[in-house]
Amino acid sequence: MLLLRCCHRLTRACPFNTQRHRGAPALASYAFRLWSSSGSSGGEGQRSYLGASWKHALVGLVAGTGAVLAYSLHHHKAEQTETPLEKRSALPIFTQEDVTGHRTLEDGVWVTYKGGVYDITEFVAMHPGGDKILLAAGGALEPFWSLYAVHNQEHVLEILSEYKVGELSAEDLKKQQSVTTSDPYSSDPVRHPALRVNSLKPFNAEPPPEILSDSYITPSAIFFKRNHLPVPQVDPGSYRLYIEGLPGGVLTLSLEDLKTKFPKHTVTATLQCAGNRRSEMNKVKQVKGLNWGIAAISNATWSGAKLRDVLLAAGYGPDVAKWARHVQFEGLDKDVSGTTYGASIPLNKAVSEEGDVLLAYEMNGEDLPADHGFPVRVVVPGTVGARNVKWLGKVTVSAEESGSHWQQNDYKGFSPGTDWDTVDFKSAPAIQELPIQSAITVPADGGVVERSSGEVTVKGYAWSGGGREVVRVDVSLDGGKTWQVAQLKDGENEAPPPPGRAWAWKLWEVQAPLPPEAQELEIICKAVDDSYNMQPDSVPPIWNLRGVLSNAWHRVKVKITEDESGE
């Protein structure tokens, strides 16, 4: 019924599409038969077969779209009368604003791909998994396709070409939108519209949680964005990194120096904002800070020179450790007064062979994006995101911590009884390693599970700071009365981490039968690391005035509904 309602809205909203896809009614009928047969019988064997079919045919636009698209390809090829070249010659030019204006079934669902504009409204309405496709609406497909490797197939592009309606304007394609020099944020990069924005200036946003657990590696475009100041524009040709505070004097390195004079290392590491899950603390008592949900955390592969190697080249030796205790980082991002972002880490973390601290110039195999520190950033695995300084301009070995506001007067934890009248930031250490963490990404809080499905699938992530490996995630469907152990998932090609160097998260999943009499589920997850650190069971005992270090058991409530037939 949901599919029929979607198609009905589509017919009313998008009459201009009917000539382009003469095969659409047949395709809709085909999709509906698949969907209704999988949802009405309640037969476990048939449901498993169809579920597997959709899962293994993931060759569509974003998620689970293969079966419908394969049929579409066959049908449209049989009726195709125009060549792709002829189509392109007659296609209109659209701006990014035009595309962004089409993000719903009522307005049409448009996406861009490599300069083309595509109207996928009909497909979204026909496909049962269209909710994830809608996350790409109004923006680029590329970051969503990178979640699913099966999209790297030629016939998928052929299918997509059938939905092409225009070309993106040259100005938008080059991301050269007109700017006003009076706005320090006017040169910030374009971001994907699927991100859930917490603040525009500076830009801070997180991906939708339901796609966060779909990929072990988070695509750069939807990796959470945490900026404190305007994104600086840095010329890679003239970029210089200064290493100071060592006996050899100041070492100056260009980007090319970092790439050619030092071995390249790659580390898969999760970054998490100290304020991840702050929204749960706000429900207990209001705190100061961005209202992050559960997705201010992401995982990526980072490549660059080891900080240890660079410090050795700059003159670091055993004698330095007798007086130095910290390594300070200074970014190239500045506020209106010229103050730059800064932070520091302990010296022993910076110089340890097992610390894996990088001066990274690549993220997920490509140059760092502007939002993530182009051309060079620090990646400090196992350490709070605030110390992973972006747009790195200076490294200083020092006896003192960074004097930056963000090191001295922020990103520190306090007792629940401390308020803004009594807080003394000097009394608490700066956050470095983060505590054990986990959260449920699917289903969403307030979601619905159909009883006819017979079971519920619960997904999420788990991570611990300091290189401690997550060894178990416990999941409860009844508010904590009973528990079961989730299946942990690493990346496909990831080797088991050495002890103390588990820098990346674990994704996890549980499939469990629905309790026969339950009308609502309270689902809880809690993680355990290899030091047997465990999450606290509730938020109030860990509440603090800045809303940092929020890692209580994560809870979501979902309703169980009967299917529409009443079965």
PDB file of all heavy atoms in Angstrom, residues 48 65 98 113 131 147 167 201 278 281-282 307 311 322 346 358 361 438 468 470 485 490 500 515 523 564:
ATOM      1  N   SER A  48      12.929 -14.873   3.293  1.00  0.00           N
ATOM      2  CA  SER A  48      14.387 -14.977   3.267  1.00  0.00           C
ATOM      3  C   SER A  48      14.905 -14.952   1.843  1.00  0.00           C
ATOM      4  O   SER A  48      15.910 -14.316   1.548  1.00  0.00           O
ATOM      5  CB  SER A  48      14.831 -16.264   3.969  1.00  0.00           C
ATOM      6  OG  SER A  48      14.424 -16.255   5.321  1.00  0.00           O
ATOM      7  N   THR A  65      18.803  -1.670  -4.881  1.00  0.00           N
ATOM      8  CA  THR A  65      17.965  -1.307  -6.008  1.00  0.00           C
ATOM      9  C   THR A  65      18.164  -2.202  -7.216  1.00  0.00           C
ATOM     10  O   THR A  65      17.642  -1.930  -8.281  1.00  0.00           O
ATOM     11  CB  THR A  65      18.261   0.139  -6.432  1.00  0.00           C
ATOM     12  OG1 THR A  65      19.635   0.218  -6.826  1.00  0.00           O
ATOM     13  CG2 THR A  65      18.023   1.090  -5.290  1.00  0.00           C
ATOM     14  N   ASP A  98      18.509  24.623  -8.443  1.00  0.00           N
ATOM     15  CA  ASP A  98      17.404  23.888  -9.064  1.00  0.00           C
ATOM     16  C   ASP A  98      17.354  22.458  -8.550  1.00  0.00           C
ATOM     17  O   ASP A  98      16.290  21.928  -8.217  1.00  0.00           O
ATOM     18  CB  ASP A  98      17.562  23.856 -10.593  1.00  0.00           C
ATOM     19  CG  ASP A  98      17.438  25.228 -11.236  1.00  0.00           C
ATOM     20  OD1 ASP A  98      16.707  26.073 -10.680  1.00  0.00           O
ATOM     21  OD2 ASP A  98      18.070  25.450 -12.287  1.00  0.00           O
ATOM     22  N   TYR A 113      25.290  13.559 -10.911  1.00  0.00           N
ATOM     23  CA  TYR A 113      26.372  12.583 -11.018  1.00  0.00           C
ATOM     24  C   TYR A 113      27.293  13.023 -12.146  1.00  0.00           C
ATOM     25  O   TYR A 113      26.882  13.095 -13.304  1.00  0.00           O
ATOM     26  CB  TYR A 113      25.833  11.179 -11.283  1.00  0.00           C
ATOM     27  CG  TYR A 113      26.933  10.142 -11.388  1.00  0.00           C
ATOM     28  CD1 TYR A 113      27.627   9.733 -10.256  1.00  0.00           C
ATOM     29  CD2 TYR A 113      27.281   9.591 -12.615  1.00  0.00           C
ATOM     30  CE1 TYR A 113      28.645   8.795 -10.333  1.00  0.00           C
ATOM     31  CE2 TYR A 113      28.293   8.644 -12.708  1.00  0.00           C
ATOM     32  CZ  TYR A 113      28.976   8.251 -11.572  1.00  0.00           C
ATOM     33  OH  TYR A 113      29.988   7.328 -11.657  1.00  0.00           O
ATOM     34  N   ASP A 131      13.762   4.923   0.857  1.00  0.00           N
ATOM     35  CA  ASP A 131      14.047   5.873   1.934  1.00  0.00           C
ATOM     36  C   ASP A 131      15.511   6.275   1.954  1.00  0.00           C
ATOM     37  O   ASP A 131      15.854   7.433   2.205  1.00  0.00           O
ATOM     38  CB  ASP A 131      13.634   5.295   3.288  1.00  0.00           C
ATOM     39  CG  ASP A 131      14.301   3.958   3.592  1.00  0.00           C
ATOM     40  OD1 ASP A 131      14.710   3.276   2.638  1.00  0.00           O
ATOM     41  OD2 ASP A 131      14.386   3.599   4.776  1.00  0.00           O
ATOM     42  N   LEU A 147      29.385   3.932  -0.786  1.00  0.00           N
ATOM     43  CA  LEU A 147      29.006   3.049   0.312  1.00  0.00           C
ATOM     44  C   LEU A 147      28.825   1.617  -0.162  1.00  0.00           C
ATOM     45  O   LEU A 147      28.917   0.672   0.617  1.00  0.00           O
ATOM     46  CB  LEU A 147      27.687   3.520   0.937  1.00  0.00           C
ATOM     47  CG  LEU A 147      27.719   4.741   1.834  1.00  0.00           C
ATOM     48  CD1 LEU A 147      26.307   5.192   2.142  1.00  0.00           C
ATOM     49  CD2 LEU A 147      28.469   4.458   3.102  1.00  0.00           C
ATOM     50  N   GLU A 167      21.931  18.980 -17.555  1.00  0.00           N
ATOM     51  CA  GLU A 167      23.332  19.123 -17.169  1.00  0.00           C
ATOM     52  C   GLU A 167      23.433  20.174 -16.067  1.00  0.00           C
ATOM     53  O   GLU A 167      22.657  21.140 -16.041  1.00  0.00           O
ATOM     54  CB  GLU A 167      24.180  19.568 -18.369  1.00  0.00           C
ATOM     55  CG  GLU A 167      24.120  18.643 -19.576  1.00  0.00           C
ATOM     56  CD  GLU A 167      24.937  17.374 -19.384  1.00  0.00           C
ATOM     57  OE1 GLU A 167      25.677  17.304 -18.384  1.00  0.00           O
ATOM     58  OE2 GLU A 167      24.835  16.470 -20.221  1.00  0.00           O
ATOM     59  N   LYS A 201      27.567  28.454  10.343  1.00  0.00           N
ATOM     60  CA  LYS A 201      28.764  29.291  10.400  1.00  0.00           C
ATOM     61  C   LYS A 201      29.267  29.345  11.843  1.00  0.00           C
ATOM     62  O   LYS A 201      28.680  30.067  12.653  1.00  0.00           O
ATOM     63  CB  LYS A 201      28.454  30.706   9.889  1.00  0.00           C
ATOM     64  CG  LYS A 201      28.006  30.748   8.441  1.00  0.00           C
ATOM     65  CD  LYS A 201      27.683  32.166   8.010  1.00  0.00           C
ATOM     66  CE  LYS A 201      27.197  32.192   6.555  1.00  0.00           C
ATOM     67  NZ  LYS A 201      26.911  33.562   6.096  1.00  0.00           N
ATOM     68  N   ARG A 278      25.601  14.520  22.506  1.00  0.00           N
ATOM     69  CA  ARG A 278      25.294  15.577  23.477  1.00  0.00           C
ATOM     70  C   ARG A 278      23.787  15.769  23.636  1.00  0.00           C
ATOM     71  O   ARG A 278      23.306  16.172  24.706  1.00  0.00           O
ATOM     72  CB  ARG A 278      25.940  16.887  23.045  1.00  0.00           C
ATOM     73  CG  ARG A 278      25.676  18.047  24.003  1.00  0.00           C
ATOM     74  CD  ARG A 278      26.361  19.322  23.555  1.00  0.00           C
ATOM     75  NE  ARG A 278      27.776  19.286  23.849  1.00  0.00           N
ATOM     76  CZ  ARG A 278      28.731  19.647  22.989  1.00  0.00           C
ATOM     77  NH1 ARG A 278      28.407  20.033  21.766  1.00  0.00           N
ATOM     78  NH2 ARG A 278      29.998  19.601  23.352  1.00  0.00           N
ATOM     79  N   MET A 281      22.339  14.368  26.710  1.00  0.00           N
ATOM     80  CA  MET A 281      22.572  15.129  27.939  1.00  0.00           C
ATOM     81  C   MET A 281      21.627  16.318  28.030  1.00  0.00           C
ATOM     82  O   MET A 281      21.177  16.694  29.121  1.00  0.00           O
ATOM     83  CB  MET A 281      24.023  15.581  28.014  1.00  0.00           C
ATOM     84  CG  MET A 281      24.990  14.458  28.340  1.00  0.00           C
ATOM     85  SD  MET A 281      26.611  15.068  28.850  1.00  0.00           S
ATOM     86  CE  MET A 281      27.407  13.506  29.318  1.00  0.00           C
ATOM     87  N   ASN A 282      21.315  16.910  26.890  1.00  0.00           N
ATOM     88  CA  ASN A 282      20.379  18.034  26.879  1.00  0.00           C
ATOM     89  C   ASN A 282      18.998  17.628  27.394  1.00  0.00           C
ATOM     90  O   ASN A 282      18.257  18.457  27.928  1.00  0.00           O
ATOM     91  CB  ASN A 282      20.248  18.611  25.473  1.00  0.00           C
ATOM     92  CG  ASN A 282      21.294  19.667  25.188  1.00  0.00           C
ATOM     93  OD1 ASN A 282      21.668  20.430  26.072  1.00  0.00           O
ATOM     94  ND2 ASN A 282      21.765  19.728  23.960  1.00  0.00           N
ATOM     95  N   LEU A 307      54.281  11.423  12.143  1.00  0.00           N
ATOM     96  CA  LEU A 307      54.798  12.560  12.895  1.00  0.00           C
ATOM     97  C   LEU A 307      56.139  12.196  13.529  1.00  0.00           C
ATOM     98  O   LEU A 307      57.057  13.037  13.576  1.00  0.00           O
ATOM     99  CB  LEU A 307      53.794  12.987  13.963  1.00  0.00           C
ATOM    100  CG  LEU A 307      54.241  14.095  14.911  1.00  0.00           C
ATOM    101  CD1 LEU A 307      54.576  15.375  14.149  1.00  0.00           C
ATOM    102  CD2 LEU A 307      53.169  14.366  15.971  1.00  0.00           C
ATOM    103  N   LEU A 311      59.545  14.450  13.233  1.00  0.00           N
ATOM    104  CA  LEU A 311      60.223  14.984  14.412  1.00  0.00           C
ATOM    105  C   LEU A 311      61.672  14.497  14.483  1.00  0.00           C
ATOM    106  O   LEU A 311      62.566  15.264  14.870  1.00  0.00           O
ATOM    107  CB  LEU A 311      59.469  14.585  15.680  1.00  0.00           C
ATOM    108  CG  LEU A 311      58.093  15.230  15.884  1.00  0.00           C
ATOM    109  CD1 LEU A 311      57.453  14.729  17.174  1.00  0.00           C
ATOM    110  CD2 LEU A 311      58.173  16.748  15.875  1.00  0.00           C
ATOM    111  N   LYS A 322      63.684  14.825  28.138  1.00  0.00           N
ATOM    112  CA  LYS A 322      64.002  15.236  29.502  1.00  0.00           C
ATOM    113  C   LYS A 322      63.331  16.547  29.879  1.00  0.00           C
ATOM    114  O   LYS A 322      63.101  16.825  31.062  1.00  0.00           O
ATOM    115  CB  LYS A 322      65.511  15.359  29.663  1.00  0.00           C
ATOM    116  CG  LYS A 322      66.260  14.041  29.520  1.00  0.00           C
ATOM    117  CD  LYS A 322      67.754  14.238  29.667  1.00  0.00           C
ATOM    118  CE  LYS A 322      68.514  12.919  29.523  1.00  0.00           C
ATOM    119  NZ  LYS A 322      69.987  13.119  29.641  1.00  0.00           N
ATOM    120  N   PRO A 346      50.204  14.555  24.224  1.00  0.00           N
ATOM    121  CA  PRO A 346      51.417  14.199  24.967  1.00  0.00           C
ATOM    122  C   PRO A 346      52.558  13.797  24.029  1.00  0.00           C
ATOM    123  O   PRO A 346      52.336  13.169  22.986  1.00  0.00           O
ATOM    124  CB  PRO A 346      50.965  13.019  25.830  1.00  0.00           C
ATOM    125  CG  PRO A 346      49.481  13.178  25.956  1.00  0.00           C
ATOM    126  CD  PRO A 346      49.043  13.753  24.649  1.00  0.00           C
ATOM    127  N   LEU A 358      49.795  10.605  12.382  1.00  0.00           N
ATOM    128  CA  LEU A 358      50.118  10.950  10.998  1.00  0.00           C
ATOM    129  C   LEU A 358      50.005  12.443  10.742  1.00  0.00           C
ATOM    130  O   LEU A 358      49.138  13.121  11.317  1.00  0.00           O
ATOM    131  CB  LEU A 358      49.161  10.240  10.022  1.00  0.00           C
ATOM    132  CG  LEU A 358      49.198   8.718   9.931  1.00  0.00           C
ATOM    133  CD1 LEU A 358      48.215   8.262   8.848  1.00  0.00           C
ATOM    134  CD2 LEU A 358      50.591   8.207   9.631  1.00  0.00           C
ATOM    135  N   TYR A 361      47.896  13.634   4.404  1.00  0.00           N
ATOM    136  CA  TYR A 361      47.539  14.418   3.220  1.00  0.00           C
ATOM    137  C   TYR A 361      46.548  13.692   2.324  1.00  0.00           C
ATOM    138  O   TYR A 361      46.153  14.205   1.288  1.00  0.00           O
ATOM    139  CB  TYR A 361      48.786  14.814   2.422  1.00  0.00           C
ATOM    140  CG  TYR A 361      49.819  13.713   2.227  1.00  0.00           C
ATOM    141  CD1 TYR A 361      49.628  12.703   1.280  1.00  0.00           C
ATOM    142  CD2 TYR A 361      50.983  13.696   2.984  1.00  0.00           C
ATOM    143  CE1 TYR A 361      50.572  11.701   1.097  1.00  0.00           C
ATOM    144  CE2 TYR A 361      51.942  12.695   2.816  1.00  0.00           C
ATOM    145  CZ  TYR A 361      51.726  11.698   1.868  1.00  0.00           C
ATOM    146  OH  TYR A 361      52.664  10.707   1.698  1.00  0.00           O
ATOM    147  N   SER A 438      29.160   3.166  22.088  1.00  0.00           N
ATOM    148  CA  SER A 438      28.384   2.444  21.076  1.00  0.00           C
ATOM    149  C   SER A 438      27.043   3.125  20.915  1.00  0.00           C
ATOM    150  O   SER A 438      26.588   3.860  21.798  1.00  0.00           O
ATOM    151  CB  SER A 438      28.183   0.969  21.467  1.00  0.00           C
ATOM    152  OG  SER A 438      27.288   0.834  22.548  1.00  0.00           O
ATOM    153  N   ARG A 468      42.124   0.698  22.384  1.00  0.00           N
ATOM    154  CA  ARG A 468      41.497  -0.450  23.022  1.00  0.00           C
ATOM    155  C   ARG A 468      40.442  -1.051  22.084  1.00  0.00           C
ATOM    156  O   ARG A 468      39.575  -0.340  21.588  1.00  0.00           O
ATOM    157  CB  ARG A 468      40.883  -0.038  24.360  1.00  0.00           C
ATOM    158  CG  ARG A 468      41.929   0.372  25.395  1.00  0.00           C
ATOM    159  CD  ARG A 468      41.281   0.849  26.689  1.00  0.00           C
ATOM    160  NE  ARG A 468      40.642   2.155  26.509  1.00  0.00           N
ATOM    161  CZ  ARG A 468      41.265   3.316  26.624  1.00  0.00           C
ATOM    162  NH1 ARG A 468      42.557   3.363  26.896  1.00  0.00           N
ATOM    163  NH2 ARG A 468      40.612   4.450  26.474  1.00  0.00           N
ATOM    164  N   VAL A 470      37.204  -3.084  20.798  1.00  0.00           N
ATOM    165  CA  VAL A 470      35.875  -3.512  21.228  1.00  0.00           C
ATOM    166  C   VAL A 470      35.791  -5.029  21.082  1.00  0.00           C
ATOM    167  O   VAL A 470      36.056  -5.578  20.006  1.00  0.00           O
ATOM    168  CB  VAL A 470      34.777  -2.835  20.390  1.00  0.00           C
ATOM    169  CG1 VAL A 470      33.405  -3.441  20.711  1.00  0.00           C
ATOM    170  CG2 VAL A 470      34.763  -1.327  20.637  1.00  0.00           C
ATOM    171  N   VAL A 485      24.335 -11.191  22.408  1.00  0.00           N
ATOM    172  CA  VAL A 485      25.593 -10.653  21.912  1.00  0.00           C
ATOM    173  C   VAL A 485      25.499 -10.400  20.418  1.00  0.00           C
ATOM    174  O   VAL A 485      25.070 -11.273  19.652  1.00  0.00           O
ATOM    175  CB  VAL A 485      26.750 -11.624  22.223  1.00  0.00           C
ATOM    176  CG1 VAL A 485      28.065 -11.081  21.672  1.00  0.00           C
ATOM    177  CG2 VAL A 485      26.861 -11.838  23.728  1.00  0.00           C
ATOM    178  N   ASP A 490      34.342  -6.138  11.024  1.00  0.00           N
ATOM    179  CA  ASP A 490      35.466  -5.300  10.635  1.00  0.00           C
ATOM    180  C   ASP A 490      35.364  -5.011   9.141  1.00  0.00           C
ATOM    181  O   ASP A 490      34.478  -5.517   8.449  1.00  0.00           O
ATOM    182  CB  ASP A 490      36.796  -5.999  10.927  1.00  0.00           C
ATOM    183  CG  ASP A 490      37.074  -6.078  12.418  1.00  0.00           C
ATOM    184  OD1 ASP A 490      36.988  -5.033  13.077  1.00  0.00           O
ATOM    185  OD2 ASP A 490      37.373  -7.180  12.910  1.00  0.00           O
ATOM    186  N   GLY A 500      46.600  -2.880  21.546  1.00  0.00           N
ATOM    187  CA  GLY A 500      46.784  -1.469  21.847  1.00  0.00           C
ATOM    188  C   GLY A 500      46.719  -0.547  20.657  1.00  0.00           C
ATOM    189  O   GLY A 500      46.910   0.669  20.802  1.00  0.00           O
ATOM    190  N   PRO A 515       9.224 -10.343  20.047  1.00  0.00           N
ATOM    191  CA  PRO A 515       8.443 -10.954  21.130  1.00  0.00           C
ATOM    192  C   PRO A 515       6.972 -11.004  20.734  1.00  0.00           C
ATOM    193  O   PRO A 515       6.411  -9.998  20.273  1.00  0.00           O
ATOM    194  CB  PRO A 515       8.676 -10.007  22.311  1.00  0.00           C
ATOM    195  CG  PRO A 515       9.957  -9.297  21.980  1.00  0.00           C
ATOM    196  CD  PRO A 515       9.974  -9.163  20.493  1.00  0.00           C
ATOM    197  N   ILE A 523      15.017  -0.887  22.804  1.00  0.00           N
ATOM    198  CA  ILE A 523      16.253  -1.542  22.398  1.00  0.00           C
ATOM    199  C   ILE A 523      17.426  -0.798  23.023  1.00  0.00           C
ATOM    200  O   ILE A 523      17.484   0.437  22.980  1.00  0.00           O
ATOM    201  CB  ILE A 523      16.382  -1.562  20.863  1.00  0.00           C
ATOM    202  CG1 ILE A 523      15.129  -2.178  20.233  1.00  0.00           C
ATOM    203  CG2 ILE A 523      17.618  -2.345  20.434  1.00  0.00           C
ATOM    204  CD1 ILE A 523      15.105  -2.110  18.717  1.00  0.00           C
ATOM    205  N   GLU A 564      -1.390  -4.061   7.265  1.00  0.00           N
ATOM    206  CA  GLU A 564      -2.664  -3.422   6.939  1.00  0.00           C
ATOM    207  C   GLU A 564      -3.787  -4.419   6.692  1.00  0.00           C
ATOM    208  O   GLU A 564      -4.950  -4.092   6.819  1.00  0.00           O
ATOM    209  CB  GLU A 564      -2.485  -2.517   5.717  1.00  0.00           C
ATOM    210  CG  GLU A 564      -1.561  -1.339   5.993  1.00  0.00           C
ATOM    211  CD  GLU A 564      -1.555  -0.351   4.851  1.00  0.00           C
ATOM    212  OE1 GLU A 564      -2.386  -0.506   3.942  1.00  0.00           O
ATOM    213  OE2 GLU A 564      -0.723   0.564   4.873  1.00  0.00           O
TER     214      GLU A 564
END
